[in-house]
């Protein structure tokens, strides 16, 4: 699978074509980016064609399975995810839509999932917001996960899923309330720091060399970094040793203080 994003449909088709040529089997499609008309001010419920038209052009050109990444402007009904009307417009228009990434808040997740469960063909529900995983799997509206949270919490999350699949609800709840919920709620508490905190977690887990993201993405804060590590340990996640963590934390403190001084 490869993600596809761009300012224009032609750019997205070009990127997707390159991906298909090297053997990619499915595409994760992100809504159009660009002017405030689309990126911030877009009313997905009223004008679903803004994204559907792009997806149709890409589908006509490539005919590949599509996983939809429906981040839109924030709404009270669906949070940072497409309205249910936008979802159903897309799946009715494009048979290649194989899965939907559930970027919605919990109320929106339930509404969208219930509609997709009644649809004439199966569209997989892939969880994104890991703070909702317990409720989603208990409600039967989680088929898998497409989330950066697995970069820092893979082991306890799999244990949680396996307990549910085996019908062991008490152990599943114990894992969830024993630290996993608290970790995910902190990571997802501030949308503007979600991806940064996921990167910090991936570094603490030993998967990447540092916790920084490219400007203008925000910088990690020392206290935020220490908090994430303590929550990961409490949840039973893999973490790097104390010495490399402290060394990295010193670098974070130095960069943070320099940026604050300017």
């Amino acid at each position: 699978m490869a993600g596809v994003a761009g300012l224009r449909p032609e750019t997205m088709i070009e990127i997707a074509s390159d991906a298909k040529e090297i053997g990619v089997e499915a595409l994760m499609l992100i809504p159009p980016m660009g002017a405030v008309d689309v990126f911030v001010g877009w009313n997905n419920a009223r004008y679903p064609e803004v994204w559907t038209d792009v997806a149709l052009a890409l589908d006509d050109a490539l005919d590949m399975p599509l996983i939809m990444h429906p981040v839109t402007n924030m709404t009270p009904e669906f949070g940072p995810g497409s309205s249910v009307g936008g979802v159903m417009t897309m799946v009715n228009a494009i048979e290649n839509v194989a899965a939907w990434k559930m970027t919605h808040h919990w109320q929106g997740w339930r509404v969208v999932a219930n509609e997709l469960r009644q649809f004439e063909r199966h569209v997989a529900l892939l969880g994104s917001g890991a703070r909702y995983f317990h409720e989603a799997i208990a409600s039967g509206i989680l088929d898998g996960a497409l989330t950066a949270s697995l970069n820092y919490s893979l082991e306890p999350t799999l244990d949680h899923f396996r307990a549910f699949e085996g019908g062991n609800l008490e152990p599943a709840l114990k894992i969830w309330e024993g630290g996993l919920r608290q970790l995910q709620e902190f990571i997802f508490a501030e949308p503007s720091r979600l991806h940064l905190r996921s990167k910090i977690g991936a570094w603490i887990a030993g998967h990447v060399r540092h916790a920084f993201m490219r400007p203008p993405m925000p910088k990690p804060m020392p206290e935020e970094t220490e908090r994430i590590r303590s929550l990961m340990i409490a949840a039973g996640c893999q973490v790097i040793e104390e010495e490399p963590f402290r060394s990295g934390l010193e670098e974070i403190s130095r960069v943070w203080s320099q940026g604050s001084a300017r």
Side-chain angles (χ1 to χ4, degrees):
M1 180 185 72
V4 179
L7 295 175
R8 302 170 65 241
E10 294 86 350
T11 304
M12 298 174 76
I13 291 171
E14 183 180 346
I15 293 168
S17 298
D18 290 344
K20 184 175 183 179
E21 196 172 302
I22 62 171
V24 166
E25 297 176 345
L27 302 171
M28 182 177 71
L29 186 60
I30 297 171
M33 301 177 177
V36 68
D37 315 49
V38 173
F39 198 62
V40 177
W42 172 37
N43 185 331
N44 170 258
R46 190 170 181 181
Y47 308 110
E49 74 280 356
V50 169
W51 190 22
T52 306
D53 286 353
V54 175
L56 279 166
L58 192 143
D59 184 56
D60 288 343
L62 295 165
D63 189 23
M64 295 176 68
L66 300 177
I67 299 169
M68 312 310 290
H69 189 306
V71 173
T72 67
N73 57 311
M74 190 79 69
T75 65
E77 296 89 350
F78 298 98
S82 173
S83 68
V84 69
V87 173
M88 299 316 294
T89 297
M90 186 72 78
V91 297
N92 275 294
I94 303 176
E95 192 171 338
N96 272 330
V97 174
W100 202 269
K101 182 173 179 177
M102 308 302 288
T103 62
H104 317 74
H105 62 33
W106 178 235
Q107 176 187 343
W109 184 326
R110 290 179 58 209
V111 172
V112 169
N114 289 335
E115 285 292 318
L116 287 175
R117 285 295 193 235
Q118 298 176 55
F119 192 54
E120 60 189 19
R121 70 175 189 276
H122 178 69
V123 176
L125 309 177
L126 302 183
S128 173
R131 59 181 165 176
Y132 304 133
F133 279 3
H134 187 79
E135 291 83 356
I137 196 169
S139 302
I141 50 176
L142 182 68
D143 296 322
L146 184 56
T147 172
S149 68
L150 296 181
N151 290 328
Y152 58 82
S153 63
L154 179 63
E155 299 83 4
T157 300
L158 290 179
D159 289 342
H160 179 238
F161 285 178
R162 287 170 183 142
F164 257 121
E165 289 171 355
N168 301 313
L169 302 187
E170 188 174 336
L173 184 60
K174 185 176 180 180
I175 294 168
W176 185 246
E177 292 296 335
L180 190 54
R181 173 183 61 80
Q182 294 86 344
L183 169 62
Q184 305 299 13
E185 286 183 351
F186 181 78
I187 296 290
F188 283 83
E190 296 184 63
S192 64
R193 299 189 75 80
L194 165 61
H195 294 99
L196 171 64
R197 289 180 177 180
S198 296
K199 176 73 179 286
I200 294 170
W203 168 63
I204 294 171
H207 300 313
V208 294
R209 290 182 290 115
H210 58 75
F212 298 98
M213 300 185 80
R214 293 187 180 94
M217 294 295 284
K219 295 185 289 292
M221 300 171 64
E223 59 269 29
E224 173 183 47
T225 304
E226 290 195 275
R227 176 68 172 151
I228 291 172
R229 186 173 188 266
S230 66
L231 288 168
M232 287 175 63
I233 291 171
C237 301
Q238 168 184 308
V239 299
I240 57 176
E241 297 293 334
E242 184 76 14
E243 184 177 341
F245 173 74
R246 290 297 160 192
S247 177
L249 189 63
E250 287 177 8
E251 177 68 5
I252 288 170
S253 299
R254 184 184 65 79
V255 171
W256 179 258
S257 62
Q258 287 178 345
S260 300
R262 288 198 297 271

